[in-house]
Amino acid sequence: MNKEILRRRTLAIISHPDAGKTTLTEKLLLYGGALELAGSVTVKKKQRDTASDWMELEKKRGISISSTVLQFEYNNFKFNLLDTPGHKDFSEDTYRVLTAVDGVIMVIDAAKGIESRTVKLFEICRKHGIAIFTFMNKLDRPAMSPLELIDQIEKVLGLRTFPVNWPIENGSSFKGLYDRVQKEVHLFERTPGGVYKAPFTIHSTTDESFKKIMFDSVYNEFIDEINLLEHVYTDLNRKKILEGDLSPVYFGSAANNFGVELLLKGYLDYSSPPLPRKTSAGEFLAMDNPDFSAFIFKIQTNMNPQHRDRMVFARVCSGKFQREEKVFNTRTQKEIRLSSAHNVFGKERETADEAYPGDVIGFITNADFKIGDTVSSDINIIFEKIPRFAPELFAYLNNTSTSKYKSFRKGLDHLITEDIVQTFRIDNHIKNVPLLGALGNLQFEVLQYRLRDEYGVETNLEVLPWTVLRWLKNPDDRLVIKSKLSFGGITGTDEHGKPVVFFENSWKLKYFEDNNPEIQLVDFLIEF
Ligand code: G4P
């Protein structure tokens, strides 16, 4: 059991759209032997209609709503790579996936540096204390200087770094990488279209064969830089990496397969095997506990349009999962049989016969499940709740099929319990429907789609101008906050009656915070 746990790594890739997350995913699969030729993941992305049999809406929009789990093996380690939907399909799911991993690779486009979506995803990782590995991608294009890129991570994200390798030039002159740990130079050869692993040769920095491939001035500059690094970045401290306080940085080009294997090896060297999860009693549950347990971080509905079924994704936290096992949903105390659990690899769902802590299983069910529920063979195990993240879009949903008010209410009430969106009430707004909050428009679209498809109800969205929500850390502040919101902001409550404030934009939030430092606002709620 422990051997199986120790050989697992569960991670996600985070990035701003277009930085290269899909390409890197594909190349990790190539190096992990799960793909013989690179190309299929990207092809899938372009031909979603044919590659995906998931929600109808997904087909129409040509995007992936679902968090897919990709599994591959490398050097006898088993990787579970969880997809974090990123583009237009950004939603609360993206954040929730990060509660199910033990580490992330943050991909940055080396020409653009840190971009907005990266900052947001990074902040969630930091709150969870997740280890963050950085991959500076697209060095085959003209890039910012590596020192500038490192500096940006330190300044913009406030994250300390350790460059593990260092690029030898960039753009069309990009030749390879210097591995600071092994103290050797890897010179790569481009392969057409990057479909095969990139061949490389290893040299010392003083090899004549290495020196002669560049101008003396460039060589001297390179040597100066790596000497400088030795003085400034001295401590590749695994403990700090695991605590999320230090990011090992790798450079490369996912498209050309340069640096991908160094990243993969580095990830294995410095990341952690699956970490235990806390129960609601605040204690870590031992992973080798004989009872199987897992927590649900994602629910995907209607994956098969012929059956109204739902695929529930859970991260295994203790024990060994075996097919046909009877388990409890410990919230409802109902017993269920996980007869159709799957390892999920894109469209193909392989039936999982067994799974260990760190693995993700998906099972199809009609039973009552909510995000954060625990499934376990021990009815007494309940994991800590998954945090709520502050939505950034707010809207009322109005029923336009007036004759179908009852169906509208029934559908809305039912779908809200599935955590597709969060719900709020604005103080003194007399409305018979709750205010809906989401991180991405897609969450509203899914709700509207399902109301139409399952309840035959047409709706329209009445979008409100608020873009920032904060919870009051001290609920008693609700008594004084109204009088302090003269410059903007409106009060309300979340679905559990916890007080919240809505602001039009982050500038107004900042103004409020600067003027009322005694009131603590939070964008992330662990207990609800
Ligand atoms: P994403 O999932 O983060 O959104 O990014 P994705 O991998 O789809 O990559 C976005 C674009 O960047 C793609 O180009 C991809 O080929 C390109 N790209 C990724 N890695 C590298 C790299 O190392 N070097 C260079 N030069 N480009 C890279 P596209 O034009 O949108 O698609 P395609 O026609 O190239 O597939």
Side-chain angles (χ1 to χ4, degrees), residues 18-23 45-46 87 137-138 140-141 253-255:
D18 281 340
K21 186 181 65 137
T22 314
T23 312
K45 193 172 159 188
K46 287 186 180 148
H87 293 236
N137 191 25
K138 307 197 188 182
D140 61 315
R141 292 233 181 108
S253 162

Side-chain angles (χ1 to χ4, degrees), residues 269-448:
D269 287 343
Y270 304 110
S271 66
S272 116
L275 293 165
R277 292 302 196 257
K278 264 193 196 155
T279 64
S280 57
E283 284 159 8
F284 286 105
L285 182 76
M287 288 181 288
D288 58 2
N289 183 317
D291 282 304
F292 160 77
S293 69
F295 74 88
I296 290 164
F297 63 93
K298 155 98 194 153
I299 297 176
Q300 165 86 42
T301 310
N302 285 0
M303 288 175 67
N304 182 343
Q306 263 107 50
H307 318 111
R308 286 258 171 276
D309 55 11
R310 300 190 296 158
M311 186 126 179
V312 173
F313 294 84
R315 167 177 163 129
V316 180
C317 300
S318 72
K320 179 176 168 185
F321 166 77
Q322 274 164 317
R323 205 139 69 95
E324 300 296 333
E325 185 162 7
K326 278 194 193 149
V327 293
F328 294 96
N329 174 341
T330 59
R331 176 179 56 85
T332 60
Q333 309 232 312
K334 290 222 170 87
E335 197 179 45
I336 35 163
R337 187 192 289 273
L338 299 186
S339 49
S340 50
H342 300 272
N343 286 324
V344 189
F345 188 120
K347 181 188 162 201
E348 299 128 41
R349 304 179 206 152
E350 258 175 57
T351 306
D353 286 325
E354 53 181 49
Y356 291 90
D359 285 343
V360 168
I361 52 167
F363 50 94
I364 292 170
T365 178
N366 271 320
D368 166 25
F369 275 113
K370 290 180 87 159
I371 300 289
D373 279 355
T374 303
V375 278
S376 176
S377 46
D378 176 351
I379 200 165
N380 296 314
I381 297 178
I382 299 179
F383 286 107
E384 202 178 49
K385 295 232 156 90
I386 289 190
R388 296 235 137 182
F389 305 97
E392 293 171 10
L393 302 168
F394 299 92
Y396 283 113
L397 198 58
N398 297 318
N399 169 33
T400 54
S401 335
T402 35
S403 62
K404 293 195 170 163
Y405 186 74
K406 258 182 146 172
S407 308
F408 166 70
R409 273 318 303 221
K410 191 171 147 217
L412 188 61
D413 291 345
H414 173 232
L415 295 174
I416 282 171
T417 63
E418 289 193 18
D419 291 317
I420 298 172
V421 290
Q422 294 186 45
T423 60
F424 300 90
R425 298 231 166 235
I426 294 181
D427 290 344
N428 306 324
H429 262 212
I430 308 195
K431 273 271 189 187
N432 53 10
V433 284
L435 176 68
L436 311 178
L439 269 162
N441 253 322
L442 181 75
Q443 289 172 260
F444 293 142
E445 285 178 34
V446 168
L447 190 64
Q448 286 188 285

